[in-house]
Amino acid sequence: MLKSISQVAAGWLRSLLTLGVSALVSTTAFAAELKYSIATDFFEPNPDHKPLGPCHGGVVLDRAGNIYVTTDTERGIVVFSPKGRFLRAFGPTRIHGLEVRKEKGVEYIYGARPTDHEVVKLRLDGEQVWAIHFPPEAGIFKDADGFKPCAVTVAPDGSIFVADGYGSNFVLKFDKDRKFVKAFGGPGQEEGKFNTCHGIGLDTRQRRPLLLVCNRNSNRVEHWDLDGNFVRVIQKDLRMPAAVHIRGNYAVFPELQGRVTVLDKAGKIVAQVGDNPNEKQRANFGLPQDQWKDGICNSPHGASIDKDGSLIVTEWSQFGHLHKFARVK
């Protein structure tokens, strides 16, 4: 069942007024170029007859359109079909940021595991190909416990970039053979520094490949070059951008403070969905399910764009909270 964003917002506002509750509903200061509708009840609510469980990770899609959602449960990654039906579960638990990469015709998952102090490469059946642990030669870690990677991406030449956002606040570069190359950034509020480098992706929409980094607690997203040089701030004053996924001309950013933003390749905002006017519900891991509203996000943490341009969003939630915002063309 699809409901337009405006229908959902209007319905929720009527409910608030009926209850005598006043709220400030933000107005968009841009002309939304992309339109979305809410696909209600899209995901099977209890995959394999079990609650989805705590999610502190992300969501990616394979080339067949299957949807991979990471959980902090013993089931690890839970896989849904393109129609939202449960297919299987596999792999390690506690994967945070992740991406799917096709190499020589085979798809792999690259995932960061901050509480396990490693980055892993997996086959789609869960078999581990390799792991990267903390590089002592970087000179920025006292011990292995200081390495708490949030996200990972891979350059065209096979170089691996790891955003150590829960640890050192450096981005670490490794070559295609996983040999440490350099660390760049480091903690700070100013441009060229990171205040929780939480998400990272490879942006090939520009004249040259660039890294797109979510500088979460500085509320901005940025371009860096593949040599580790700061290039520019793409957007600022976001609400804790947690991750990035790029497809075609567009990049989607789940914002932990209750919103999802889509930018075009020039960095212009072309859509914002799921905006939650209730600040107490934003970044709320334990928000009870009876307080969820269709089309309203509480703690968006992962997002991907499917082949139809729709947005798949997963939340930082004790119970596991998923959304599909269907692209309206």
Side-chain angles (χ1 to χ4, degrees):
M1 178 181 179
L2 298 179
K3 298 181 182 178
S4 71
I5 303 291
S6 59
Q7 286 175 320
V8 171
W12 193 21
L13 183 57
R14 285 195 298 271
S15 298
L16 289 172
L17 293 174
T18 300
L19 292 171
V21 178
S22 63
L24 290 176
V25 179
S26 64
T27 58
T28 53
F30 65 94
E33 297 180 10
L34 304 183
K35 306 293 185 182
Y36 298 90
S37 294
I38 308 305
T40 58
D41 301 321
F42 178 78
F43 287 96
E44 191 172 333
N46 291 297
D48 197 26
H49 309 291
K50 302 174 185 176
L52 183 59
C55 291
H56 183 202
V59 56
V60 291
L61 289 83
D62 66 17
R63 61 186 170 186
N66 297 313
I67 301 163
Y68 296 71
V69 176
T70 66
T71 76
D72 291 347
T73 73
E74 70 281 356
R75 291 195 292 176
I77 300 171
V78 177
V79 187
F80 296 89
S81 74
K83 295 185 177 180
R85 301 299 92 188
F86 172 75
L87 295 178
R88 61 193 177 93
F90 72 97
T93 184
R94 296 184 300 275
I95 288 180
H96 191 266
L98 73 165
E99 70 175 35
V100 171
R101 176 176 164 85
K102 186 178 178 181
E103 300 171 356
K104 297 181 180 179
V106 179
E107 290 181 287
Y108 297 93
I109 290 174
Y110 285 77
R113 304 181 73 212
T115 57
D116 298 272
H117 315 290
E118 66 178 6
V119 170
V120 294
K121 179 180 179 179
L122 308 173
R123 301 183 187 276
L124 295 190
D125 62 3
E127 179 186 354
Q128 181 172 305
V129 179
W130 52 246
I132 292 175
H133 299 99
F134 94 105
E137 62 270 33
I140 56 176
F141 300 102
K142 291 182 179 179
D143 53 39
D145 288 344
F147 182 52
K148 299 176 182 177
C150 286
V152 57
T153 195
V154 183
D157 68 354
S159 296
I160 302 159
F161 293 86
V162 177
D164 188 35
Y166 287 166
S168 65
N169 258 314
F170 282 86
V171 171
L172 281 61
K173 180 178 181 179
F174 300 83
D175 68 16
K176 61 183 178 61
D177 298 314
R178 307 188 304 285
K179 180 181 178 181
F180 174 76
V181 176
K182 65 168 58 176
F184 54 90
Q189 295 278 2
E190 65 271 28
E191 291 184 2
K193 298 293 183 179
F194 297 123
N195 187 10
T196 311
C197 46
H198 195 271
I200 193 169
L202 181 74
D203 191 350
T204 58
R205 301 170 299 168
Q206 314 303 318
R207 289 178 297 174
R208 53 175 174 153
L210 294 170
L211 299 173
L212 203 165
V213 183
C214 297
N215 199 339
R216 190 189 71 176
N217 288 24
S218 290
N219 298 309
R220 61 184 186 242
V221 293
E222 308 166 351
H223 271 146
W224 291 68
D225 70 22
L226 301 189
D227 291 321
N229 300 304
F230 173 76
V231 176
R232 70 175 181 123
V233 172
I234 301 167
Q235 274 287 339
K236 60 181 181 178
D237 300 324
L238 297 177
R239 299 206 305 238
M240 299 182 73
V244 58
H245 177 253
I246 301 168
R247 186 190 281 270
N249 287 327
Y250 301 111
V252 60
F253 300 87
E255 298 169 81
L256 193 62
Q257 292 284 344
R259 188 175 64 187
V260 178
T261 290
V262 181
L263 304 181
D264 67 12
K265 66 180 181 179
K268 183 177 70 172
I269 296 174
V270 292
Q272 288 180 319
V273 301
D275 196 350
N276 194 331
N278 187 340
E279 293 186 10
K280 292 182 179 180
Q281 292 187 345
R282 299 176 187 170
N284 189 332
F285 180 72
L287 185 70
Q289 292 169 284
D290 61 7
Q291 295 185 37
W292 296 356
K293 304 289 183 181
D294 285 343
I296 300 298
C297 293
N298 307 313
S299 309
H301 195 276
S304 281
I305 306 171
D306 72 12
K307 64 180 180 61
D308 298 318
S310 299
L311 309 178
I312 306 297
V313 179
T314 179
E315 295 200 6
W316 179 60
S317 168
Q318 176 181 342
F319 309 101
H321 194 186
L322 309 177
H323 308 266
K324 179 177 179 178
F325 295 91
R327 174 84 182 272
V328 177
K329 298 182 180 180

